[in-house]
Amino acid sequence: MKKTRASAATALAIIGLVLTGLAGAFALVSWRDLGLDLVFVPIVAGLALVVGLSSRWIAAKIRRLPHPPRVFISYPRDEASTAREISSRLKKAGARVWLDQEQISPGEVWRDAIDNAIADSDSMVTLVSGSTSGWLGEEVIKAKQENVKIIPVLLEHVDLPEYLSGIQFIDLTANKDEGLDDLVESST
Amino acid sequence: MNEFLTGSTFRYLLFPLASAGLGVYVKYVTRNDQFAKFRKEDLAVGLDLLRIASLIYLLLTSDRAIALARLSAMPLQTMGADADALRIQAAELSDSISMAGWGVALFIIALWSVSTIVRKFGWESESELKPVMGIAVPLVFGVTSLILVMLGETP
């Protein structure tokens, strides 16, 4: 019964759309004495159609325009305070920073929120310590799929995980201040 | 400047396009998630334009009704040589007001139809619109409605 009602509503909507189009055309014909002004209707409607059809391409072009750098910070739970410190440094340098503890609201599907944020980032800062888990690996894989620049940051004397091998890292174990300056420079 | 603002190019080309552009910009800068980059969904302002066009139409109809009431209240003696021109103007205003009910009905049908089409066929996922049914069709209806409303107002 519900399905019948839904398809009736859809059919009515389509009829309404066609009727509105016909009525618009009728209005144009009845206002034919407006002359050249009517030329603008197909021009603007055509432009709107082209914009709508190429909306994906337009959005991609606009995304490439200059904008404040967007940085996603990926970190092990034990390094939450270091992540906040780095976030603060990056924000001072003019970057827009995504840190899960600041950005995910209660009730939000965190997996979707993280995936969207990675896709919207220009670079991902990945903090590496002894407590680094496999979950960070999934975030790094997603960043690689989205062509997001990955900047590994070594917080302790540990080996880089395999998924980060071959990527130049920043070492905060030797000189933290200098390392943070390098990080700000590379990600902004 | 006045000539430009009352000219056809501004009223029927720049005005609807600028309205659409401004709508897109406002949608993009006022959304809650400032980290997100520009998305194709930010271009989906067709229904907003359709709503604006219907409100402009209502306002213009009220203006016409007020103008007609003023004309009707003018004593014949004060019209002088302009009497014929004023009578024609009153007839035109009366004509457009008599069509206003149908115009409003049409806008209601258009708003309901386009929003239903977007709801039923316009979404490819929970947050992503399809370029044709979700963005292009409402956009075409939106800008065309704006132009039609402005055309109806042409003196």
Side-chain angles (χ1 to χ4, degrees), chain B residues 92-154:
Chain B
E92 282 172 359
L93 285 169
S94 177
D95 275 353
S96 63
I97 292 168
S98 67
M99 291 298 291
W102 290 107
V104 171
L106 207 62
F107 270 116
I108 291 171
I109 292 174
L111 271 169
W112 174 76
S113 301
V114 177
S115 52
T116 304
I117 296 290
V118 172
R119 193 179 71 245
K120 296 271 180 190
F121 308 110
W123 293 93
E124 61 187 8
S125 72
E126 204 176 316
S127 57
E128 285 198 38
L129 284 165
K130 287 180 186 165
V132 180
M133 292 311 232
I135 300 174
V137 170
L139 206 53
V140 169
F141 265 80
V143 290
T144 308
S145 310
L146 264 185
I147 300 179
L148 289 180
V149 167
M150 301 298 279
L151 278 172
E153 189 44 26
T154 300

Side-chain angles (χ1 to χ4, degrees), chain B residues 11-146:
Chain B
R11 288 163 67 102
Y12 310 126
L13 186 71
L14 295 181
F15 175 74
L17 292 180
S19 301
L22 192 64
V24 171
Y25 178 72
V26 169
K27 197 171 186 178
Y28 173 56
V29 295
T30 55
R31 69 174 169 208
N32 191 28
D33 185 3
Q34 285 299 304
F35 188 80
K37 285 180 182 171
F38 190 88
R39 295 180 194 282
K40 71 177 189 305
E41 284 68 29
D42 291 322
L43 291 165
V45 292
L47 279 166
D48 300 319
L49 295 180
L50 195 53
R51 203 178 59 229
I52 290 168
S54 58
L55 292 176
I56 291 177
Y57 183 73
L58 281 179
L59 281 176
L60 291 177
T61 304
S62 309
D63 282 352
R64 285 188 200 116
I66 291 166
L68 182 62
R70 280 192 188 135
L71 271 177
S72 310
M74 276 176 83
L76 269 175
Q77 296 88 333
T78 59
M79 292 184 182
D82 296 333
D84 279 343
L86 289 172
R87 200 173 293 126
I88 291 168
Q89 196 184 336
E92 282 172 359
L93 285 169
S94 177
D95 275 353
S96 63
I97 292 168
S98 67
M99 291 298 291
W102 290 107
V104 171
L106 207 62
F107 270 116
I108 291 171
I109 292 174
L111 271 169
W112 174 76
S113 301
V114 177
S115 52
T116 304
I117 296 290
V118 172
R119 193 179 71 245
K120 296 271 180 190
F121 308 110
W123 293 93
E124 61 187 8
S125 72
E126 204 176 316
S127 57
E128 285 198 38
L129 284 165
K130 287 180 186 165
V132 180
M133 292 311 232
I135 300 174
V137 170
L139 206 53
V140 169
F141 265 80
V143 290
T144 308
S145 310
L146 264 185

Side-chain angles (χ1 to χ4, degrees), chain A residues 55-66, chain B residues 38:
Chain A
S55 53
R56 212 183 291 272
W57 180 82
I58 292 172
K61 285 281 171 197
I62 293 175
R63 286 159 81 101
R64 285 195 204 106
L65 293 174
Chain B
F38 190 88

Side-chain angles (χ1 to χ4, degrees), chain A residues 9-163:
Chain A
T10 309
L12 278 174
I14 293 169
I15 292 168
L17 204 67
V18 173
L19 276 180
T20 314
L22 285 176
F26 176 73
L28 286 180
V29 172
S30 63
W31 288 332
R32 61 190 179 279
D33 56 322
L34 290 170
L36 279 177
D37 292 343
L38 288 179
V39 171
F40 291 107
V41 176
I43 292 176
V44 175
L47 272 175
L49 188 67
V50 170
V51 167
L53 293 178
S54 49
S55 53
R56 212 183 291 272
W57 180 82
I58 292 172
K61 285 281 171 197
I62 293 175
R63 286 159 81 101
R64 285 195 204 106
L65 293 174
H67 58 264
R70 289 167 166 83
V71 185
F72 180 98
I73 300 182
S74 169
Y75 63 95
R77 293 298 102 185
D78 296 352
E79 302 295 345
S81 60
T82 313
R84 277 197 298 274
E85 187 187 348
I86 289 173
S87 163
S88 158
R89 288 281 287 259
L90 289 169
K91 280 178 185 168
K92 275 183 195 158
R96 285 188 184 163
V97 179
W98 199 95
L99 196 60
D100 59 357
Q101 45 189 297
E102 294 170 357
Q103 305 279 352
I104 300 182
S105 327
E108 201 172 348
V109 181
W110 56 269
R111 179 78 230 211
D112 291 346
I114 287 174
D115 282 352
N116 289 336
I118 292 173
D120 282 327
S121 302
D122 299 305
S123 56
M124 175 198 266
V125 171
T126 307
L127 306 187
V128 179
S129 72
S131 55
T132 293
S133 69
W135 173 244
L136 291 192
E138 289 191 35
E139 293 181 349
V140 170
I141 289 165
K142 172 77 181 165
K144 284 179 178 171
Q145 285 168 351
E146 297 288 343
N147 288 322
V148 175
K149 179 183 173 188
I150 299 163
I151 307 169
V153 176
L154 214 54
L155 302 178
E156 292 172 6
H157 292 287
V158 290
D159 290 332
L160 277 181
E162 200 178 323
Y163 50 79

